[in-house]
Amino acid sequence: MTAWASIELAVEAMRRGARDFVQKPWENSRLLSILRTQIELCKSIRNEQRLVAENELLRAEGRPALIAQSPAMQPVLQLIARVGPSDANVLITGEHGTGKK
């Protein structure tokens, strides 16, 4: 926002990352419209970033990195490797507090 607007100043502001340029005195309706547009743009950018991150996780190759070095966990990891690529439903059972989330 500036009181001394010029095309050069507007271009420089946009080059440095401004998304819009408002000259004083401004019209309230135009300012509110710019603010609404920028809020929606920001929401869209955040949503896109979240979706890109989710897609990267969903498309990742191989199985997820699990920390399981004990010999008792090796059969579990092998079962995960066999069942994971399928569309089968899996029922996980076990004692309370063992982390079956």
Side-chain angles (χ1 to χ4, degrees), residues 62-64 66 74-92:
R63 63 181 183 209
L66 299 175
Q74 296 311 309
V76 174
L77 295 176
Q78 292 167 1
L79 182 60
I80 290 171
R82 285 196 325 264
V83 175
S86 76
D87 291 329
N89 292 322
V90 177
L91 174 64
I92 300 173

Side-chain angles (χ1 to χ4, degrees), residues 22-65:
V22 179
Q23 180 181 354
K24 294 179 189 175
W26 64 83
E27 295 176 24
N28 286 341
S29 61
R30 181 171 184 272
L31 181 61
L32 290 173
S33 175
I34 290 169
L35 291 173
R36 283 187 199 105
T37 300
Q38 293 308 313
I39 289 169
E40 289 302 315
L41 178 61
C42 184
K43 286 179 184 177
S44 295
I45 290 170
R46 285 186 188 152
N47 192 36
E48 178 197 11
Q49 290 170 340
R50 182 184 55 81
L51 291 173
V52 166
E54 284 179 8
N55 278 333
E56 287 175 2
L57 287 174
L58 291 172
R59 295 171 191 244
E61 293 293 323
R63 63 181 183 209

Side-chain angles (χ1 to χ4, degrees), residues 67-75 77:
I67 302 172
Q69 297 176 353
S70 102
M73 281 300 293
Q74 296 311 309
L77 295 176

